[in-house]
Amino acid sequence: MSMSSAIVPEVLLDKNYENWKVWLKSYLLGQGLWDIVDGSDANPVGAGLNAWRKNNGKALHAIQISCGSDMLTHIREIESAKDAWDRLASVHAHASGARKGFLEAELRACKQGTYTISEYARKVKDICDQLEAIGARKDNDTRVAIISENLRPEFDAMRVIVQKNKRTMEEAVSLFLQEEALLERHKLESNNEVKDMSNEAFFSTAHGSFRNRGRSRMRDDHIDTVSTKEQDDGDKKADNNEEALCVIMGQVNTADNQ
């Protein structure tokens, strides 16, 4: 934030000259010192010299204390209020010419990209405001055209509506914000539909897996049951064979004794 002085709301920096000169001129007019600064009251010779020097000193002091430290370096050695005023105007003209070219190029290259509508509109407004501060004003229609033409393709439909019907910058941004909210809602709904379909496919697959696993378990239980039955039958056959062998051996022993 710019520092203020007792004379102007903001001291002179490299970006606020247009506002600064209006504030300071109003002050100098009110103090009866503007004629010294604009050259109407030139440096006299003779009786009026002391009065002029006094007023020149007051005007020069007002200019000096209304400058930031960087701007003050340009007028530090100057003793005439008019010369100091003219020097600051010249510095501003030189700096603003270079700055204007830079800002114009930045504005032409400004695109929405990954910015939200709010972020993008704020960026465009900031650049336009900086241009206006150095005397290169961008009117409403120009600002609307800039923000409309460099939006992402999904805003094409709303762009046509905005360009067809003249809108203020605020109205255009409001419409684009509504379109952005609508697009976000559709995107969210689509994502939810995809997620629901994925969940449905997952549970369907899982259900089939559990069902097949149940069938497999039933088959395994059946095999186990069959295997146990066969083992029991085998054990019974073995016992019967053993009993038959004992009977035969008993008969053989009886025959031998006789």
Side-chain angles (χ1 to χ4, degrees):
M1 182 176 179
S2 302
M3 296 179 61
S4 62
S5 73
I7 296 175
V8 292
E10 296 176 1
V11 296
L12 178 61
L13 301 173
D14 60 344
K15 299 179 181 178
N16 65 343
Y17 175 79
E18 295 296 328
N19 289 335
W20 176 86
K21 74 175 183 179
V22 172
W23 296 327
L24 189 55
K25 181 179 179 179
S26 296
Y27 173 81
L28 294 170
L29 284 168
Q31 298 297 314
L33 300 171
W34 181 245
D35 288 348
I36 297 289
V37 175
D38 75 353
S40 299
D41 188 356
N43 188 347
V45 177
L49 179 59
N50 288 334
W52 182 90
R53 284 178 175 172
K54 182 177 181 179
N55 287 335
N56 178 71
K58 289 180 179 179
L60 181 60
H61 179 67
I63 294 172
Q64 290 171 339
I65 66 173
S66 299
C67 287
S69 57
D70 290 342
M71 294 293 107
L72 183 61
T73 59
H74 297 290
I75 60 171
R76 186 173 291 151
E77 306 300 326
I78 296 177
E79 296 182 355
S80 163
K82 181 181 186 308
D83 291 345
W85 184 269
D86 291 345
R87 178 65 182 276
L88 291 173
S90 176
V91 169
H92 166 72
H94 178 74
S96 63
R99 182 164 180 77
K100 178 183 176 183
F102 171 78
L103 290 172
E104 290 282 6
E106 188 176 11
L107 191 59
R108 287 193 299 271
C110 188
K111 299 183 183 301
Q112 183 185 7
T114 58
Y115 289 122
T116 64
I117 291 295
S118 294
E119 293 169 340
Y120 176 54
R122 194 179 306 118
K123 182 175 177 64
V124 171
K125 182 180 183 301
D126 180 61
I127 297 173
C128 289
D129 288 348
Q130 290 183 57
L131 282 166
E132 186 166 345
I134 59 175
R137 183 174 179 273
K138 299 295 181 183
D139 61 21
N140 178 79
D141 291 347
T142 300
R143 294 188 181 206
V144 172
I146 291 170
I147 193 172
S148 298
E149 291 170 2
N150 295 303
L151 290 168
R152 293 195 298 266
E154 57 262 37
F155 292 95
D156 284 349
M158 185 56 70
R159 179 190 295 112
V160 172
I161 295 174
V162 169
Q163 292 178 338
K164 186 176 180 180
N165 304 286
K166 287 205 169 191
R167 305 282 183 171
T168 65
M169 182 67 166
E170 292 74 17
E171 290 172 342
V173 171
S174 177
L175 288 172
F176 287 130
L177 284 170
Q178 294 175 33
E179 184 72 2
E180 181 180 53
L182 185 62
L183 291 169
E184 285 296 323
R185 190 177 69 184
H186 287 169
K187 181 179 178 181
L188 182 61
E189 290 173 352
S190 297
N191 289 340
N192 288 337
E193 287 178 4
V194 171
K195 188 181 295 184
D196 291 343
M197 291 175 64
S198 298
N199 290 337
E200 183 179 349
F202 171 78
F203 286 117
S204 176
T205 302
H207 178 71
S209 176
F210 290 141
R211 184 172 58 189
N212 292 334
R213 187 181 302 172
R215 290 177 178 175
S216 177
R217 185 173 298 168
M218 290 174 63
R219 287 196 299 269
D220 292 342
D221 291 344
H222 176 69
I223 292 171
D224 291 341
T225 301
V226 172
S227 299
T228 302
K229 185 175 182 302
E230 290 177 349
Q231 183 176 356
D232 291 342
D233 291 343
D235 291 341
K236 289 179 181 180
K237 288 181 179 179
D239 291 341
N240 292 335
N241 290 339
E242 185 176 354
E243 291 177 359
L245 180 60
C246 289
V247 171
I248 293 171
M249 291 299 295
Q251 293 175 351
V252 169
N253 289 333
T254 301
D256 288 342
N257 291 331
Q258 291 178 350

